Amino acid sequence: MSSLVSRSALHARKRALAKTLCYRALMVAITVLVAWAVVGDVSDAVNIGLVANVVKTITYYSYERLWDHVTWGVAEAA
């Protein structure tokens, strides 16, 4: 039974990683398209899209780590 649980947990992590990477790729594409429409230059748009999404990813990770230290809304273990 434990191998079933570990396989299921591994599958869930792989699925979450795949969803995350697909989402980030979609967000990069949207940012690049919007930046291209605004600045009119593909090279600048790609740079904006990549930098903006790297910054957003780092910011989100930092935000999540910060919330690891917030106890509000977390039930105490019995």
Side-chain angles (χ1 to χ4, degrees), residues 8-9 13-15 22 27-28 38 45 55 61 66 72 75:
S8 177
R13 284 193 297 273
K14 285 182 178 180
R15 181 175 165 83
C22 288
M27 292 302 100
V28 168
V38 172
V55 168
Y61 178 79
L66 177 66
W72 176 80

Side-chain angles (χ1 to χ4, degrees), residues 58-72:
I58 292 168
T59 302
Y60 181 77
Y61 178 79
S62 300
Y63 181 78
E64 282 292 314
R65 296 293 297 143
L66 177 66
W67 268 97
D68 284 345
H69 301 285
V70 176
T71 59
W72 176 80

Side-chain angles (χ1 to χ4, degrees), residues 23-24 27-28 30-31 48-63:
Y23 179 79
R24 289 313 316 162
M27 292 302 100
V28 168
I30 289 171
T31 304
I48 291 168
L50 292 176
V51 170
N53 280 279
V54 166
V55 168
K56 289 177 186 179
T57 301
I58 292 168
T59 302
Y60 181 77
Y61 178 79
S62 300
Y63 181 78

Side-chain angles (χ1 to χ4, degrees), residues 6-35:
S6 63
R7 254 189 294 186
S8 177
L10 180 60
H11 176 74
R13 284 193 297 273
K14 285 182 178 180
R15 181 175 165 83
L17 179 60
K19 286 174 64 178
T20 299
L21 294 174
C22 288
Y23 179 79
R24 289 313 316 162
L26 178 62
M27 292 302 100
V28 168
I30 289 171
T31 304
V32 168
L33 288 173
V34 171

